[in-house]
Amino acid sequence: MIIESTKNNSEILFEAIKSAKNNDIIQLEPTEYHFYPENAYEGEFYPSNNDGGMRKVGMYIKNKKHITIDGKGAKLTYHGWMSPIIIENSENVVLKNFTIDFAEPFLYQAVVAVSTDRELELKINKDIFPYTVRNKNVIWHTFAGDSEPRRIYIFDYDNDSSTGRKKYIMTGMAIGKFADAHKDSEWTHSPITGMDYPQFLLFDAYEKENGNLLLKYRTNSSALYYPPESRLVLMVSNTGRTADTIFVDRSKDIVFENITVHRGPAMGIIAQCTQNISVKNFQIRSDKERGDLITTTADSMMFVDCKGDITIHDCYVSDSMDDGLNVHSTYVQVKSVSRNKVIAGLIHPQQKGYNPFSAGDKAAFTNNETMEIVFTGNVVSSKVLEDKKLLEVTFDEPVSECVRAGNVIENISAQPNVEVMNTEYCRSTAILIGTSGKVRFVNNKVNTRVGSIRIKDDPVVWYESGRTTDFLIENNTFYHCGEWSADCLIQILTRCTHLSVPFAPIHKNIRILNNTFIGTNKELLCANYVDGLIFSKNKYYLDRKDASDRNDVVIDIGNCIHYTVADNEINQS
């Protein structure tokens, strides 16, 4: 069937998909389709690592098998705060040949006119990013309505360690009456940059005759220096992660092909509890003619507790506010055990309402102090309890007495194979891949704000599991990664710091071969608790003035066994 464009396509496309039968192909026309929250489907959804709850949906695919939506070059333009695409409990779904965009920006952009220890003067295009100054406060007139938030974040888009200036990637600001609540700037330590930085800059706001926004530091505020013409991103709305561009839940055999995302709310793709996902020629790139600095306001792609094969081929991913790719399973925390029933807590605040288990899955219980797996069991049922922060998981046999409250549980059936090939990641935070399936990261080009690839198992902070058993990183080019934070380029680690057995491996069989690194960071590789690590035939073109710096390049290997570091070259560029 062919869907013609109308003024608001939300209801029309919903009805067309709802009535589609197996093997149907829904075709769009090569024109622009507009979607508004009015008359759009509304439902309750709980994607992991996001804010769950009610969402308006532009394209909702539920309980469907063998359907294709072919955009034929269409542009899907969304208005207001809504999720463009949600796929739920479906199989063999193909989406291809269209562009996703939003009419309004999610984030404000500013250019620094003047920066001193007394004031920060910003040039903001009020036609695109409207605001009003009133009683030393700023009211931001966003797509989601007027916003006068308690704090906003400043994201330093042009942060560059080569300038020698301090690397404050992101800090908060409180303006006018919201600054009254703070005695000072409340400095804290950033685990990302390794630096101390102010949580809040405290301002009073004024509008200058030239139309610029003048923010004067209060006497109890710290001050940060931004070079003139630096571009800043201002996170001014209160929407959080309450919508995603594409959300896939409990589905199978999903294909995304020839799709472009210019502006996307929260994550570009978030898929959970889904088996077999193919992403090919998927472009997440800002519209430079429009001057956008940011594409998605969270991770570009995230895959949580998925199974089977995840393939990402021939893609371009840029300018997301968070990770370019994040693959992991979820740790939940044991609260109590009663024979074969376990009450487990969803500890991460953005896991609310999420259920990582299904009947037939195998779960592993881990002592999060020693990282020892103390019990494995087969799941009979799993349900989210009423408060949406607890799970009741039932097993087919009594749970071992070795399991204690505070231990963590992961779904060891949800360990997908991951293949990333011929893909470019540009100006995202990092690449995180954690799975005991087979991983192939080959022939890619990577530029990230912090360390390029992170292989980690984290039962402490993010509650993301990721023991690896077969990981190949080969023939990639990593250029100027981690320079916003002087971060280690490739990190292999666990968050747990209380391992009782010195050489108990968390990760196994990792090969890093024939890669090219270009940049200024001295820390090339940091690896801990690995059994079987090869770092060989890699080249590092170190961009530093002093030739002696090549001798200071760090390859830090701790608590590892059966490792080889050989035939690597360090060149001065």
Side-chain angles (χ1 to χ4, degrees):
M1 68 182 78
I2 298 176
I3 307 299
E4 296 182 354
S5 178
T6 64
K7 186 176 180 180
N8 180 2
N9 295 277
S10 296
E11 187 173 9
I12 292 172
L13 189 56
F14 172 77
E15 293 297 335
I17 294 171
K18 184 179 178 181
S19 63
K21 297 178 174 58
N22 290 352
N23 300 310
D24 272 1
I25 298 176
I26 298 174
Q27 293 184 3
L28 306 182
E29 296 180 328
T31 186
E32 187 169 16
Y33 289 74
H34 293 270
F35 297 84
Y36 293 83
E38 293 77 19
N39 299 321
Y41 176 83
E42 185 173 18
E44 192 171 7
F45 302 97
Y46 290 92
S48 179
N49 295 71
N50 283 266
D51 302 313
M54 301 301 295
R55 298 186 175 200
K56 295 275 191 174
V57 187
M59 184 188 298
Y60 185 45
I61 303 169
K62 182 178 182 180
N63 297 330
K64 293 296 177 181
K65 292 184 178 181
H66 300 283
I67 71 165
T68 297
I69 298 179
D70 186 349
K72 295 290 184 180
K75 181 178 182 181
L76 313 184
T77 299
Y78 295 83
H79 302 259
W81 193 246
M82 59 190 304
S83 294
I85 300 170
I86 293 181
I87 303 171
E88 191 174 31
N89 296 316
S90 295
E91 296 182 16
N92 295 101
V93 175
V94 177
L95 303 184
K96 62 182 182 179
N97 302 327
F98 56 82
T99 295
I100 295 173
D101 201 2
F102 274 73
E104 303 89 1
F106 307 122
L107 306 167
Y108 274 37
Q109 296 176 190
V111 176
V112 174
V114 176
S115 179
T116 72
D117 60 356
R118 300 181 63 182
E119 64 185 33
L120 179 62
E121 182 180 334
L122 302 177
K123 294 180 286 187
I124 300 176
N125 186 335
K126 294 182 73 172
D127 292 334
I128 302 174
F129 311 107
Y131 67 90
T132 301
V133 177
R134 188 181 304 152
N135 298 325
K136 301 182 181 180
N137 301 303
V138 179
I139 294 89
W140 313 95
H141 306 303
T142 75
F143 69 96
D146 288 354
S147 178
E148 193 179 13
R150 183 168 299 280
R151 67 178 180 181
I152 68 173
Y153 286 102
I154 310 173
F155 180 78
D156 186 357
Y157 183 85
D158 287 322
N159 195 307
D160 182 359
S161 64
S162 66
T163 64
R165 82 184 202 249
K166 291 184 177 181
K167 298 177 285 295
Y168 296 105
I169 297 176
M170 188 181 296
T171 191
M173 67 159 68
I175 302 173
K177 65 182 181 181
F178 297 113
D180 296 340
H182 302 284
K183 295 180 180 179
D184 54 42
S185 292
E186 301 181 26
W187 283 63
T188 189
H189 183 76
S190 168
I192 296 176
T193 65
M195 297 172 55
D196 293 330
Y197 75 104
Q199 285 187 324
F200 302 98
L201 302 176
L202 309 178
F203 295 107
D204 286 321
Y206 306 87
E207 189 162 20
K208 297 190 68 174
E209 291 183 0
N210 64 5
N212 289 349
L213 175 63
L214 179 63
L215 300 173
K216 288 191 174 182
Y217 287 106
R218 291 192 169 189
T219 57
N220 58 335
S221 177
S222 298
L224 298 183
Y225 172 69
Y226 299 96
E229 301 305 313
S230 294
R231 294 171 294 177
L232 306 180
V233 176
L234 308 180
M235 303 173 67
V236 301
S237 70
N238 293 319
T239 50
R241 295 184 178 187
T242 55
D244 291 287
T245 311
I246 299 175
F247 172 40
V248 186
D249 189 18
R250 299 185 184 276
S251 296
K252 182 179 179 181
D253 297 325
I254 307 299
V255 176
F256 302 108
E257 186 171 351
N258 298 325
I259 295 174
T260 296
V261 176
H262 287 315
R263 287 174 177 162
M267 298 182 181
I269 298 175
I270 166 69
Q272 65 190 30
C273 304
T274 292
Q275 181 175 342
N276 300 333
I277 304 167
S278 172
V279 184
K280 186 174 182 179
N281 194 23
F282 196 103
Q283 312 275 317
I284 299 180
R285 60 169 71 239
S286 58
D287 185 337
K288 294 303 181 185
E289 291 185 4
R290 196 164 53 195
D292 288 353
L293 300 178
I294 299 298
T295 52
T296 60
T297 60
D299 305 66
S300 299
M301 299 182 191
M302 180 176 284
F303 303 92
V304 184
D305 292 301
C306 290
K307 301 176 181 178
D309 297 315
I310 297 170
T311 59
I312 301 171
H313 290 177
D314 305 308
C315 297
Y316 181 85
V317 176
S318 72
D319 295 302
S320 60
M321 286 291 289
D322 211 331
D323 297 317
L325 174 63
N326 187 329
V327 181
H328 66 267
S329 291
T330 304
Y331 278 126
V332 296
Q333 190 176 69
V334 175
K335 297 298 183 181
S336 65
V337 179
S338 178
R339 287 186 56 79
N340 65 332
K341 287 189 177 180
V342 175
I343 301 299
L346 296 157
I347 306 302
H348 186 280
Q350 289 178 322
Q351 291 175 348
K352 180 180 178 181
Y354 171 58
N355 188 352
F357 302 105
S358 295
D361 288 340
K362 179 168 283 189
F365 291 72
T366 297
N367 182 321
N368 58 329
E369 291 186 352
T370 66
M371 295 308 295
E372 177 187 6
I373 295 176
V374 296
F375 177 72
T376 59
N378 299 312
V379 176
V380 173
S381 65
S382 179
K383 63 180 180 180
V384 179
L385 300 184
E386 189 173 354
D387 68 351
K388 301 193 184 306
K389 291 295 291 181
L390 294 172
L391 301 173
E392 182 184 84
V393 188
T394 304
F395 294 88
D396 65 354
E397 62 178 318
V399 173
S400 168
E401 293 180 359
C402 295
V403 173
R404 297 284 184 269
N407 290 170
V408 291
I409 319 172
E410 66 173 315
N411 187 345
I412 57 175
S413 297
Q415 303 292 325
N417 302 314
V418 178
E419 184 175 270
V420 184
M421 296 185 67
N422 303 318
T423 290
E424 181 168 2
Y425 293 93
C426 188
R427 294 181 301 276
S428 58
T429 300
I431 308 296
L432 282 74
I433 304 177
T435 173
S436 60
K438 182 172 71 174
V439 178
R440 299 293 180 265
F441 193 88
V442 179
N443 294 332
N444 303 295
K445 191 173 182 181
V446 180
N447 166 240
T448 51
R449 300 185 188 103
V450 298
S452 56
I453 293 184
R454 291 179 171 179
I455 303 169
K456 67 183 181 70
D457 189 70
D458 182 0
V460 177
V461 179
W462 297 105
Y463 291 87
E464 297 175 356
S465 69
R467 298 175 188 246
T468 59
T469 62
D470 183 359
F471 203 126
L472 175 65
I473 303 170
E474 186 173 32
N475 292 332
N476 303 285
T477 298
F478 300 93
Y479 62 103
H480 297 285
C481 296
E483 294 181 2
W484 286 29
S485 59
D487 208 358
C488 184
L489 298 185
I490 294 185
Q491 298 180 354
I492 308 166
L493 54 94
T494 177
R495 291 276 189 184
C496 182
T497 58
H498 305 290
L499 298 179
S500 62
V501 182
F503 295 104
I506 303 300
H507 305 290
K508 298 179 180 180
N509 194 21
I510 299 173
R511 291 94 65 213
I512 306 167
L513 309 172
N514 297 303
N515 299 284
T516 298
F517 300 86
I518 302 168
T520 62
N521 282 4
K522 291 186 176 182
E523 291 190 89
L524 182 53
L525 169 67
C526 304
N528 278 282
Y529 299 102
V530 183
D531 179 359
L533 169 64
I534 301 175
F535 188 81
S536 180
K537 297 183 180 180
N538 301 288
K539 294 182 180 180
Y540 190 12
Y541 294 92
L542 184 62
D543 185 12
R544 288 184 177 273
K545 295 179 181 179
D546 187 350
S548 65
D549 280 346
R550 77 183 66 184
N551 298 320
D552 296 331
V553 170
V554 175
I555 296 178
D556 183 5
I557 296 177
N559 296 311
C560 295
I561 55 176
H562 306 127
Y563 62 88
T564 299
V565 178
D567 302 320
N568 300 293
E569 296 181 19
I570 299 174
N571 301 290
Q572 195 77 20
S573 61

